[in-house]
Amino acid sequence: MMNINSIIIKSIIDSLNAEEQRLLDEWLKTESNKRMYNNIRSHFYDSGSYLFNTSDEDVDKAWAKIGKRADSERKPGKWVSMIRHTWRVAAAVVAFIIIGGGMMWYEDYTRTTPPVLSEDITGAIRESVKADKADILLATDKTADIPSRHVIKPQPISKEQIVEYQLDAEEVERILESKMIETQRAKESWVQLDDGTMVHLGNNSRIIYPERFPKASLFGASSPREVIVEGEAYFMVAHDASRQFIVHTRMGDIIDYGTEFYVSTKSNSTRVALVSGKIGVKSATTQERILQPGQEASIAAGGSLSVAQSDIDRYVAWNTGKYAFHEATVRKLISIVSMWYGREVQYDESLAERTVSGVLYKYADIRQTLESLSLALGVEGKCFNVRNTKK
């Protein structure tokens, strides 16, 4: 049976059940108990203490700190004084715990955790810069080790450059202070944003981003981290629960929930492939759709949005610059090569389901890559034909 200490405390905060109320009423039939109860209740409200845990264990511990129960009839002054002091101390302790716990929660909630770059990623950065296929911009001073010709110099933007995207007035004002990085046909870029997010920008692409994202707010909603993308990009987003990360495109928005994903706005549509984590995708005419890893969303020019399963290997390979495979079909390998180089590769359909194992390297010449594939297949002659750039 619950002890009377717990019943008294629970009655003060009006949390008694029917059985507990019956036990309290029975106990209060004694005049001395009634006077003790009234004194406790009176001094409790005087102290202004209303927050505490009412579980039996915690209540018993709290009462134990008071010491042995005194006889309220023989030592009423001492008992009342102890009750008043105990509740005030308890209030201070509870306030400290609440504030301290709140600060710990807030620190954790607003903590920004940059993505951990794998050796494949760091290797791709080194190889692409070494092959003169990419430039780089890091938020730290690590660019000191990179030749100056490969260090990106962001450009200012104008309002005219962002009015075509689906932005409201507040978003426009925030983004107007941003910078722009734009790649050329033969070059990619690796861009590290203020929060540690790493963006791999494809050729013929651009990203508009702020040099400093808005800080988290203790009061009210924090402003989101927002960028604009045109072309294609692979995002490795820094986790920050307090600030959304939003990618704006002409066709719609991608809302990140801590993840890796690929975005392409080429071919008059927006395609988004989720590699890991979770993202939301929406257009001007649709509600947000949540994607799971291995899914790809497509937003058409009219705003319609569709979601389907996708082979994400080609997106990971595009980002890392290397594709190791075992018994992969020619059809799949050609789709990866076409995506890497932005070229349409024609081939004999009789080869489509032939399989081969090995490693492809993105920064090799496309003709060398296709010649290696021909040798692996054991075919002679010109079985692959590279057409003009399609992107």
Side-chain angles (χ1 to χ4, degrees), residues 259-277:
T259 187
E260 291 187 21
F261 58 95
Y262 168 89
V263 179
S264 174
T265 66
K266 297 181 177 181
S267 302
N268 201 32
S269 67
T270 290
R271 289 187 298 115
V272 187
L274 178 58
V275 175
S276 65

Side-chain angles (χ1 to χ4, degrees), residues 115-361:
V116 177
L117 302 184
S118 67
E119 179 56 36
D120 283 341
I121 300 296
T122 56
I125 295 173
R126 287 194 302 268
E127 290 302 315
S128 60
V129 172
K130 182 179 177 181
D132 199 26
K133 297 293 185 180
D135 294 323
I136 189 167
L137 178 66
L138 302 180
T140 64
D141 59 0
K142 294 179 182 178
T143 52
D145 299 328
I146 301 171
S148 59
R149 71 178 185 277
H150 291 301
V151 177
I152 302 170
K153 295 179 175 59
Q155 303 298 315
I157 63 170
S158 64
K159 190 171 184 178
E160 289 70 27
Q161 290 173 302
I162 61 175
V163 293
E164 55 194 312
Y165 299 93
Q166 300 178 33
L167 306 174
D168 60 33
E170 290 185 6
E171 290 170 335
V172 169
E173 288 303 315
R174 287 196 296 267
I175 293 176
L176 272 178
E177 299 300 320
S178 298
K179 299 293 184 182
M180 180 178 70
I181 289 174
E182 194 165 25
T183 59
Q184 305 304 315
R185 188 176 70 84
K187 280 278 185 95
E188 299 177 353
S189 292
W190 292 89
V191 183
Q192 188 179 45
L193 303 181
D194 168 53
D195 61 346
T197 292
M198 183 64 79
V199 184
H200 182 186
L201 195 64
N203 56 33
N204 284 341
S205 302
R206 71 163 62 163
I207 182 170
I208 296 173
Y209 67 99
E211 291 186 293
R212 293 287 183 271
F213 286 119
K215 297 298 183 183
S217 173
L218 181 59
F219 304 102
S222 298
S223 295
R225 298 168 288 167
E226 295 172 280
V227 301
I228 293 174
V229 163
E230 187 74 25
E232 60 183 338
Y234 190 105
F235 284 84
M236 293 160 277
V237 180
H239 177 72
D240 185 338
S242 66
R243 298 179 297 169
Q244 283 189 324
F245 191 98
I246 301 175
V247 179
H248 298 288
T249 74
R250 295 175 191 270
M251 305 298 177
D253 296 339
I254 300 100
I255 302 93
D256 170 79
Y257 298 98
T259 187
E260 291 187 21
F261 58 95
Y262 168 89
V263 179
S264 174
T265 66
K266 297 181 177 181
S267 302
N268 201 32
S269 67
T270 290
R271 289 187 298 115
V272 187
L274 178 58
V275 175
S276 65
K278 185 173 72 171
I279 57 174
V281 181
K282 66 178 181 178
S283 72
T285 60
T286 65
Q287 296 294 318
E288 181 179 347
R289 292 279 299 275
I290 300 298
L291 267 61
Q292 301 300 324
Q295 290 186 321
E296 181 174 328
S298 179
I299 305 175
S304 62
L305 191 157
S306 60
V307 176
Q309 291 301 123
S310 176
D311 178 6
I312 63 171
D313 283 353
R314 57 177 176 157
Y315 301 115
V316 175
W318 183 86
N319 191 46
T320 59
K322 179 176 65 176
Y323 183 51
F325 50 93
H326 177 68
E327 295 187 353
T329 65
V330 170
R331 186 188 305 279
K332 180 172 184 176
L333 294 177
I334 294 303
S335 73
I336 290 173
V337 171
S338 296
M339 180 181 176
W340 278 0
Y341 298 97
R343 308 288 290 276
E344 183 180 353
V345 180
Q346 294 179 325
Y347 60 97
D348 187 340
E349 280 295 323
S350 66
L351 299 174
E353 300 307 317
R354 292 275 302 273
T355 60
V356 64
S357 301
V359 181
L360 293 179
Y361 293 94

Side-chain angles (χ1 to χ4, degrees), residues 55-66:
S55 67
D56 291 347
E57 181 182 359
D58 289 345
V59 170
D60 288 341
K61 286 180 180 178
W63 282 89
K65 290 180 182 179
I66 299 175

Side-chain angles (χ1 to χ4, degrees), residues 32-58:
S32 60
N33 289 347
K34 187 181 295 185
R35 283 196 297 273
M36 179 193 296
Y37 176 81
N38 289 335
N39 279 332
I40 293 171
R41 189 178 182 90
S42 173
H43 289 290
F44 170 76
Y45 285 120
D46 286 347
S47 71
S49 305
Y50 296 93
L51 298 170
F52 52 89
N53 192 311
T54 57
S55 67
D56 291 347
E57 181 182 359
D58 289 345

Side-chain angles (χ1 to χ4, degrees), residues 39 43 71-83:
N39 279 332
H43 289 290
D71 184 341
S72 61
E73 290 294 298
R74 290 187 291 108
K75 300 178 181 179
K78 181 177 180 181
W79 176 251
V80 170
S81 176
M82 289 176 68
I83 290 292

